[in-house]
């Protein structure tokens, strides 16, 4: 398959949208899919999940806080969920902190942030503070762990530990009988299959072209993503977080060749999907 030109991989800016999805409908809005750095029109990983009257910002990669404001007032968020603490998935918590604390976007109460436990010290270090308690007026930090489950409005969020080169989690979100699974960043592992089993929509990374010999895989190839989708019996595979050695089109095509039990699509900035 011929490589796409760089310009073809940049999505146009969507029109602003402010109304939330109906309460019982589970929707996913793609804020960013880039890896490992943002590009024009393509922020890093970030998604807006809506359902059960709740709005949850899932991963906060660079560029996604600005995109989030196209679709909702950040003060209206009910929670933030962070898969792991690599910068391309969490760095926009910094501008979010400034916006919520000083930029007129203050929420009515501190915003629950579900993330690996080291998030507090990381943020405190950036602001030159020793104690992350200074964040408590804006962020209510709640540590994730394998098997963590919480309800946000009518959304049920289940967290599973996955294989990466740092503490990392995948997400399974359920609302009104619909299920979305999100890989975060993960190498092939049984937990990822369990997380995605029977999901209507599986949002899955396909970051690397191939695995390096003698190294433990900490990302998925397109074929890996397709194999997980096939084994888990998902309804649709939505390919995201495609790295610089691949194009989104080639990654999606390669995943589709393995996942024959359902549809395979490409995650693109500005798109909203009903699960």
């Amino acid at each position: 398959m011929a490589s796409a030109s760089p310009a073809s991989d940049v999505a146009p800016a969507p029109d602003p949208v402010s109304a939330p999805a109906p309460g019982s409908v589970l929707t996913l809005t793609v804020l960013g899919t880039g890896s490992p750095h943002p590009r024009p029109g393509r922020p890093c990983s970030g998604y807006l999940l809506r359902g059960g009257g709740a709005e949850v910002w899932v991963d906060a990669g660079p560029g996604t806080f600005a995109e989030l404001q196209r679709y909702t007032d950040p003060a209206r968020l009910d929670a933030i969920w962070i898969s792991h603490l690599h910068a391309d998935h969490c760095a926009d918590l910094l501008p979010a902190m400034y916006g919520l604390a000083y930029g007129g976007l203050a929420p009515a109460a501190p915003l629950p942030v579900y993330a690996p436990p080291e998030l507090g010290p990381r943020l405190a270090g950036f602001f030159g503070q020793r104690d992350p308690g200074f964040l408590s007026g804006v962020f209510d930090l709640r540590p994730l762990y394998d098997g963590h489950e919480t309800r946000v409005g009518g959304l049920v969020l289940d967290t599973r530990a996955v294989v990466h080169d740092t503490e990392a989690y995948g997400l399974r979100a359920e609302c009104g009988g619909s299920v979305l699974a999100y890989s975060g960043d993960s190498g092939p592992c049984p937990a990822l299959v369990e997380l995605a089993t029977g999901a209507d929509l599986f949002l899955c990374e396909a970051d690397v072209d191939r695995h390096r010999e003698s190294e433990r895989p900490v990302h998925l190839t397109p074929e890996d993503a397709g194999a997980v989708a096939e084994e888990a019996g998902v309804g649709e595979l939505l390919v995201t977080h495609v790295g610089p050695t691949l194009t989104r089109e080639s990654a999606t095509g390669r995943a589709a060749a393995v996942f024959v039990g359902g549809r395979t699509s490409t995650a693109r900035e500005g798109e909203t999907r009903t699960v």
Side-chain angles (χ1 to χ4, degrees), residues 93-166:
L93 289 176
L94 298 174
M97 174 67 183
Y98 276 104
L100 296 171
Y102 313 117
L105 302 176
L111 184 59
V113 180
Y114 299 95
E118 284 301 308
L119 177 62
R122 297 273 186 99
L123 292 177
F126 181 87
F127 287 100
Q129 303 287 329
R130 294 184 178 180
D131 182 358
F134 86 100
L135 299 164
S136 63
V138 177
F139 290 151
D140 176 7
L141 301 180
R142 304 184 184 187
L144 288 178
Y145 52 84
D146 187 33
H148 181 279
E149 179 179 318
T150 191
R151 180 178 290 272
V152 182
L155 276 174
V156 177
L157 305 179
D158 290 322
T159 296
R160 289 296 308 273
V162 294
V163 172
H164 198 41
D165 55 359
T166 189

Side-chain angles (χ1 to χ4, degrees), residues 7 13 21 58 68 97 157 213 253:
V58 174
L68 178 71
M97 174 67 183
L157 305 179
E213 293 184 9

Side-chain angles (χ1 to χ4, degrees), residues 45-59:
S45 292
Y47 311 90
L48 176 60
L49 189 62
R50 283 170 161 161
E55 297 183 305
V56 180
W57 182 14
V58 174
D59 274 348

Side-chain angles (χ1 to χ4, degrees), residues 2-275:
S3 298
S5 66
S8 69
D9 215 20
V10 176
D15 294 329
V17 177
S18 58
S24 62
V25 176
L26 181 60
T27 67
L28 176 78
T29 298
V30 179
L31 306 176
T33 67
S35 170
H37 60 86
R39 295 166 55 185
R42 191 178 175 193
C44 287
S45 292
Y47 311 90
L48 176 60
L49 189 62
R50 283 170 161 161
E55 297 183 305
V56 180
W57 182 14
V58 174
D59 274 348
T64 59
F65 184 60
E67 294 304 307
L68 178 71
Q69 294 169 72
R70 295 185 186 273
Y71 305 99
T72 193
D73 178 352
R76 200 167 67 192
L77 288 171
D78 296 282
I80 300 173
W81 187 94
I82 300 296
S83 64
H84 65 292
L85 301 185
H86 284 161
D88 59 333
H89 290 256
C90 71
D92 256 25
L93 289 176
L94 298 174
M97 174 67 183
Y98 276 104
L100 296 171
Y102 313 117
L105 302 176
L111 184 59
V113 180
Y114 299 95
E118 284 301 308
L119 177 62
R122 297 273 186 99
L123 292 177
F126 181 87
F127 287 100
Q129 303 287 329
R130 294 184 178 180
D131 182 358
F134 86 100
L135 299 164
S136 63
V138 177
F139 290 151
D140 176 7
L141 301 180
R142 304 184 184 187
L144 288 178
Y145 52 84
D146 187 33
H148 181 279
E149 179 179 318
T150 191
R151 180 178 290 272
V152 182
L155 276 174
V156 177
L157 305 179
D158 290 322
T159 296
R160 289 296 308 273
V162 294
V163 172
H164 198 41
D165 55 359
T166 189
E167 183 177 359
Y169 298 97
L171 175 67
R172 183 180 177 95
E174 300 189 39
C175 179
S178 298
V179 177
L180 174 140
Y182 171 49
S183 66
D185 277 8
S186 176
C189 61
L192 193 56
V193 176
E194 294 169 11
L195 187 80
T197 294
D200 299 287
L201 183 66
F202 180 33
L203 178 66
C204 186
E205 68 130 289
D207 189 75
V208 295
D209 182 36
R210 59 182 56 86
H211 297 301
R212 297 178 181 176
E213 293 184 9
S214 76
E215 287 188 0
R216 181 191 190 196
V218 296
H219 282 290
L220 302 174
T221 65
E223 288 78 12
D224 291 331
V228 172
E230 184 73 13
E231 185 175 354
V234 307
E236 180 177 355
L237 170 62
L238 187 60
V239 175
T240 191
H241 197 60
V242 175
T245 61
L246 296 162
T247 66
R248 292 195 281 197
E249 293 77 12
S250 67
T252 301
R254 286 168 54 177
V258 177
F259 177 45
V260 297
R263 178 183 178 191
T264 302
S265 306
T266 306
R268 295 191 181 276
E269 286 73 11
E271 292 185 345
T272 295
R273 305 290 297 275
T274 298
V275 178

